[in-house]
Amino acid sequence: MNTSNRVLVIRSIDKVTEFLTGIRRTGATIGFVPTMGALHEGHLSIIRQAREETDFVAVSIFVNPVQFNNKKDLEKYPRNLDLDLALLTLTRCDLVFIPDEQEMYPDNKHLKEQLDFDGLDQVLEGKYRPGHFFGVVAVLRKLFSIIQPTHAYFGQKDYQQFLVVKRLIQAEAFSIQLVMHPIIRETDGLAMSSRNALLTPEMRQKAPMIYQILQILRDKAGNTEVKEMKMWVRKCFIGLPRIKLEYVAIVDAETLKPIRNWSDSKRPMVCIAAYFGKVRLIDNVFLFS
Ligand code: AMP
């Protein structure tokens, strides 16, 4: 739908609301891809899917302070707006909404009653990054209300976030079709992430071990005891200088509850979080697939 050369940049809620009201009146479907910027091929691949499936593609770039439980992590988070805008133009994104903190949280008002996610938001990332999903929900609730997309696209890379968003959409009765995009990887298997840019060359070389481990687990699943698989992962990380496994979890993909035996779940998955130097990386794969 974008016929101009450059992606349309809008920074204010009023303007984006007015603009999208016009788009909605034409009966167009709106695909929305929320991001924190520092765009990479993972983001662009999602945008291309949205491009194929919807009439109008809106991306947001907002480094949401509320979802960072660690101030240093927020300060260090990569930002590269000029390159982002060039990439968005190349992928033929129609509109990018880039609000600042004051626009999103005037007077710091993001504290709204929290939803009940049946513990989904308390495990894995929720356990190790307390408050993270509170922030995710706060920002997405607001972005969904502003953009009012027909479709919203999220990556499997943040699978737990996808499940939390699914609950949010149900709970608030947003009329949004939620779509999950598979994990896009570097050629050596490392899941693409804005944070990869923060890895030292040495850690960048080591980081693909996460996906190598996940692939071996996928091969072993069903034949090796769950407990044994987790122990094996922990052993893989022992004695590696400045590399630290934060968690390995084998869970049911619907509930994120840990499984003990393979018969406990029809759709098990494994999730890993690990530090490579100061950079925290996450990855996951579905087992039995
Ligand atoms: P972020 O900018 O990190 O908040 O990510 C924005 C969206 O892109 C989220 O839905 C992520 O799950 C998704 N995403 C990030 N990295 C990847 C990847 N390597 N493959 C697929 N989706 C991704």
Side-chain angles (χ1 to χ4, degrees):
M1 189 166 286
N2 187 353
T3 49
S4 73
N5 289 333
R6 297 202 60 196
V7 60
L8 174 64
V9 179
I10 301 187
R11 295 177 187 272
S12 89
I13 294 177
D14 285 350
K15 286 209 173 107
V16 81
T17 302
E18 190 190 332
F19 188 86
L20 288 177
T21 303
I23 296 292
R24 237 172 271 116
R25 267 203 208 110
T26 68
T29 52
I30 298 175
F32 177 42
V33 186
T35 82
M36 297 204 296
L39 302 180
H40 50 70
E41 181 53 32
H43 297 112
L44 304 183
S45 179
I46 301 181
I47 294 167
R48 282 195 289 268
Q49 185 182 359
R51 174 84 282 158
E52 270 178 29
E53 296 176 355
T54 60
D55 303 320
F56 187 92
V57 178
V59 168
S60 63
I61 296 180
F62 181 59
V63 182
N64 175 30
V66 192
Q67 74 187 63
F68 284 78
N69 57 315
N70 178 330
K71 213 170 158 244
K72 276 226 173 90
D73 188 23
L74 173 63
E75 281 163 13
K76 277 189 320 198
Y77 198 82
R79 291 162 171 88
N80 197 344
L81 192 56
D82 288 342
L83 184 60
D84 288 351
L85 294 181
L87 292 171
L88 290 172
T89 298
L90 280 174
T91 41
R92 296 188 302 113
C93 164
D94 294 297
L95 180 158
V96 57
F97 177 49
I98 314 179
D100 63 14
E101 212 180 319
Q102 177 60 25
E103 188 72 6
M104 285 299 279
Y105 304 127
D107 310 318
N108 234 354
K109 276 197 187 125
H110 55 260
L111 301 169
K112 217 183 154 192
E113 188 196 340
Q114 192 55 298
L115 295 168
D116 179 3
F117 292 105
D118 286 336
L120 263 183
D121 55 334
Q122 302 297 323
V123 295
L124 307 176
E125 292 300 286
K127 179 170 166 196
Y128 290 92
R129 301 182 67 190
H132 171 64
F133 288 114
F134 174 85
V136 167
V137 167
V139 76
L140 288 175
R141 181 190 263 140
K142 186 133 191 182
L143 286 171
F144 285 164
S145 308
I146 298 166
I147 306 289
Q148 296 177 40
T150 51
H151 299 65
Y153 293 83
F154 289 84
Q156 183 199 322
K157 165 91 186 342
D158 300 277
Y159 180 73
Q160 187 173 11
Q161 168 174 277
F162 175 82
L163 288 186
V164 167
V165 174
K166 195 168 158 186
R167 291 295 180 101
L168 171 69
I169 288 175
Q170 283 164 356
E172 308 264 296
F174 284 119
S175 175
I176 300 174
Q177 197 174 316
L178 181 63
V179 184
M180 184 168 80
H181 192 79
I183 300 179
I184 305 301
R185 301 181 177 281
E186 301 286 355
T187 43
D188 58 13
L190 176 64
M192 290 193 179
S193 164
S194 306
R195 286 191 168 86
N196 291 353
L198 302 173
L199 291 165
T200 62
E202 188 198 348
M203 290 299 156
R204 173 61 190 83
Q205 210 195 348
K206 302 251 161 72
M209 73 177 271
I210 303 180
Y211 186 54
Q212 286 157 13
I213 288 173
L214 290 174
Q215 281 176 302
I216 292 172
L217 295 178
R218 192 161 47 194
D219 292 344
K220 288 183 177 204
N223 300 317
T224 309
E225 296 263 335
V226 175
K227 202 170 148 191
E228 219 178 284
M229 294 211 337
K230 288 198 289 188
M231 263 164 38
W232 175 75
V233 176
R234 288 190 196 107
K235 273 194 202 144
C236 291
F237 279 86
I238 289 174
L240 301 177
R242 284 171 288 115
I243 297 176
K244 192 177 150 267
L245 176 69
E246 188 161 63
Y247 65 76
V248 52
I250 299 180
V251 298
D252 177 75
E254 304 303 320
T255 63
L256 298 186
K257 293 219 164 82
I259 62 165
R260 290 217 173 103
N261 303 299
W262 295 115
S263 56
D264 292 346
S265 170
K266 285 203 180 76
R267 201 165 164 247
M269 71 185 304
V270 54
C271 306
I272 286 184
Y275 278 94
F276 282 71
K278 293 195 171 123
V279 185
R280 186 175 183 279
L281 301 177
I282 58 170
D283 202 346
N284 65 74
V285 296
F286 294 110
L287 302 171
F288 299 170
S289 64

